[in-house]
Amino acid sequence: MRQPAPAPDDDLKLSAWLPYRLFLVAAQVARPLEGFYGETFGLSQAGWRILAVIAERDGANASEIGRACALDPFAVSRGIGQLVELGFAVRRPGKTDRRFAAVSITRSGRNAFNRIAAFGSAIEARLLARLSEAERVTLDSTLHKLEAESARIDTGGWRSLLDNTAAS
């Protein structure tokens, strides 16, 4: 019977890896939120994300929505279709180019968004209640830095990361 090789100390440990830990926190709070908007409004995850974007940026086009939600064009199209079907959004042709339809939230969509946002805010408040004011300020500052660096990592792509690792 073969024994597994011991892991070197410098190997990545998933349970201690920052991106995985951030993912777990996000996934654990997303599940109850998803259950709420799914059961209450019949929304998919993409539908909810798009609804949140158009609640903030009424009249956004599919391309803008995709960037804001980190969704591929197919998921954006399906999500917009779902919102239109539910009566939460309307799609209007672009003024100069019909390919760039503007998506606007309806009164019904705004009401749904407000209820989901209130539930989401309650989740956020519960998380933040575990932190002191100083920890909240530090967390906010830290997240800004991580968001900026993760955007640079994403823009550079995996090959750039591999090149940087080899050069180190």
Side-chain angles (χ1 to χ4, degrees), residues 22-131:
L22 293 171
F23 164 77
L24 284 179
V25 171
Q28 289 164 344
V29 297
R31 277 191 291 274
L33 184 64
E34 187 174 3
F36 176 72
Y37 62 68
E39 290 178 30
T40 307
F41 299 102
L43 280 172
S44 65
Q45 186 179 69
W48 157 243
R49 286 184 189 175
I50 294 166
L51 183 64
V53 168
I54 64 172
E56 190 175 320
R57 295 182 232 167
D58 197 44
N61 67 42
S63 195
E64 294 165 337
I65 291 167
R67 279 191 303 278
C69 296
L71 292 170
D72 65 74
F74 181 72
V76 171
S77 179
R78 279 194 357 200
I80 292 170
Q82 180 187 52
L83 293 177
V84 169
E85 186 177 306
L86 290 169
F88 292 167
V90 291
R91 191 179 323 174
R92 293 189 179 89
K95 290 179 177 140
T96 58
D97 190 336
R98 293 183 153 277
R99 293 174 298 172
F100 295 102
V103 183
S104 295
I105 194 167
T106 63
R107 179 173 287 141
S108 176
R110 176 63 65 186
N111 291 336
F113 171 79
N114 288 342
R115 287 189 55 203
I116 299 165
F119 189 76
S121 292
I123 292 171
E124 179 184 45
R126 187 164 168 183
L127 288 170
L128 293 175
R130 303 291 296 168
L131 304 176

